[in-house]
Amino acid sequence: MRNVWHELSGLLLPMTCAGCGRPRTELCAVCRAALLGGPARRVRPSPGPPGLPAVYAAAPYETAVRAVLLAHKERGALGLAGALGRALASCVRAGTGQLDGAATPRGARPLRAEAPLLLVPVPSARSATAARGHDPVRRIAVTAARELRRSGRPAQVLAVLRQRRAVADQSGLDARQRRANLAGALELTAAGERLLRRGLVSHDRVILVDDLLTTGSTLAEAARAVGEGPGADREPSVRGGCRAAVVAASPSAFEINRN
């Protein structure tokens, strides 16, 4: 019902740009350019957490981009999923060497053109999803997969991660505290366990996706869960080909990237 209300309110209430407040548009040309106008780039937080895969982001998390992400995530501006999904798709292409001949990330093998990409969204807590009325990361991932298919790149969303325990609110925590807060917090679903542990899905086709990268702790934990699974008696899987894509990253993650 909440999603229906969001759709109706968009028709009944005055529309303003989510990025700057300009009237009569959900996303103005200037704010759209801030999100989509530049090439996706490799980003890296400092200090980077152990196990963090190669991550690509579309834009720094500031000003209009920050406002657009928050409008979609916290205020249910679902119409923004299209632009956010296109931004995420550009990062997936860059991270897999599929954008205008872009190089494949160091240490990762180029993907075969016919092998579908599997976008694995980082899960939100059930309570957060219920409070928002939607799962923002999964919604953006679905849109990104659709955009990739339209451009001739097979892709689908594979929601195989879930939270295995509650975590504290991350706001106000530094990088070390976030790593401790998230350690062991994610696990594969039963379906994910079957697909990834039994070799039905190759790890180098998995792209971890999230809306935002700050310290990298969440993506590092997701990579651990995908690579190792919950069984203590199992050997960790190779994560060399694991990649990640986010819509935005903290400005400092762009500034320190010298590759």
Side-chain angles (χ1 to χ4, degrees), residues 11 25 42 44 100 119 130 142 180 182 189 191 206 217 244 250 258:
L11 297 174
T25 179
R42 176 83 179 268
R44 186 175 66 248
D100 297 329
L119 309 190
V142 168
L182 290 165
T189 63
V206 171
S217 299
S250 58
R258 304 303 182 192

Side-chain angles (χ1 to χ4, degrees), residues 219-240:
L219 284 173
E221 170 59 17
R224 181 209 61 78
V226 166
E228 297 179 4
D233 58 338
R234 295 183 177 90
E235 291 295 325
S237 300
V238 176
R239 289 200 297 273

Side-chain angles (χ1 to χ4, degrees), residues 4-90:
V4 173
W5 164 246
H6 285 315
E7 297 290 346
L8 289 175
S9 64
L11 297 174
L12 299 174
L13 299 177
M15 182 178 293
T16 60
C17 175
C20 66
R22 183 171 299 179
R24 295 189 297 278
T25 179
E26 190 169 37
L27 186 62
C28 74
V30 173
C31 294
R32 185 179 296 272
L35 179 64
L36 296 166
R41 293 166 54 191
R42 176 83 179 268
V43 291
R44 186 175 66 248
S46 180
L52 180 68
V55 186
Y56 279 75
Y61 184 65
E62 57 187 359
T63 58
V65 172
R66 180 178 185 274
V68 169
L69 274 172
L70 289 176
H72 175 262
K73 186 174 188 174
E74 304 296 352
R75 299 199 298 277
L78 306 184
L80 296 171
L84 294 170
R86 285 190 288 277
L88 186 63
S90 74

Side-chain angles (χ1 to χ4, degrees), residues 70-129:
L70 289 176
H72 175 262
K73 186 174 188 174
E74 304 296 352
R75 299 199 298 277
L78 306 184
L80 296 171
L84 294 170
R86 285 190 288 277
L88 186 63
S90 74
C91 300
V92 173
R93 292 189 193 101
T96 55
Q98 297 296 320
L99 179 61
D100 297 329
T104 303
R106 185 180 303 171
R109 298 192 304 273
L111 296 184
R112 303 188 313 274
E114 69 275 12
L117 298 175
L118 303 172
L119 309 190
V120 176
V122 172
S124 300
R126 290 183 180 179
S127 58
T129 300

Side-chain angles (χ1 to χ4, degrees), residues 45-258:
S46 180
L52 180 68
V55 186
Y56 279 75
Y61 184 65
E62 57 187 359
T63 58
V65 172
R66 180 178 185 274
V68 169
L69 274 172
L70 289 176
H72 175 262
K73 186 174 188 174
E74 304 296 352
R75 299 199 298 277
L78 306 184
L80 296 171
L84 294 170
R86 285 190 288 277
L88 186 63
S90 74
C91 300
V92 173
R93 292 189 193 101
T96 55
Q98 297 296 320
L99 179 61
D100 297 329
T104 303
R106 185 180 303 171
R109 298 192 304 273
L111 296 184
R112 303 188 313 274
E114 69 275 12
L117 298 175
L118 303 172
L119 309 190
V120 176
V122 172
S124 300
R126 290 183 180 179
S127 58
T129 300
R132 292 170 179 146
H134 74 125
D135 185 334
V137 175
R138 185 167 183 173
R139 184 179 295 275
I140 296 171
V142 168
T143 307
R146 186 182 305 123
E147 179 72 16
L148 289 164
R149 291 193 298 270
R150 285 174 180 165
S151 65
R153 189 65 171 97
Q156 64 187 74
V157 174
L158 195 67
V160 294
L161 286 175
R162 65 186 175 194
Q163 287 199 343
R164 66 190 303 180
R165 62 169 177 80
V167 297
D169 186 352
Q170 296 272 80
S171 60
L173 301 183
D174 61 23
R176 180 186 60 79
Q177 292 168 329
R178 289 191 179 204
R179 287 198 299 271
N181 186 40
L182 290 165
L186 301 180
E187 66 179 359
L188 287 171
T189 63
E193 174 78 5
R194 289 193 299 271
L195 289 171
L196 290 166
R197 301 283 75 74
R198 296 180 183 178
L200 300 178
V201 169
S202 173
H203 282 76
D204 65 4
R205 290 158 56 194
V206 171
I207 313 295
L208 301 171
V209 297
D210 205 352
D211 56 351
L212 174 64
L213 176 136
T214 51
T215 67
S217 299
T218 302
L219 284 173
E221 170 59 17
R224 181 209 61 78
V226 166
E228 297 179 4
D233 58 338
R234 295 183 177 90
E235 291 295 325
S237 300
V238 176
R239 289 200 297 273
C242 187
R243 300 156 166 91
V246 297
V247 175
S250 58
S252 61
F254 284 87
E255 291 167 3
I256 68 166
N257 178 30
R258 304 303 182 192

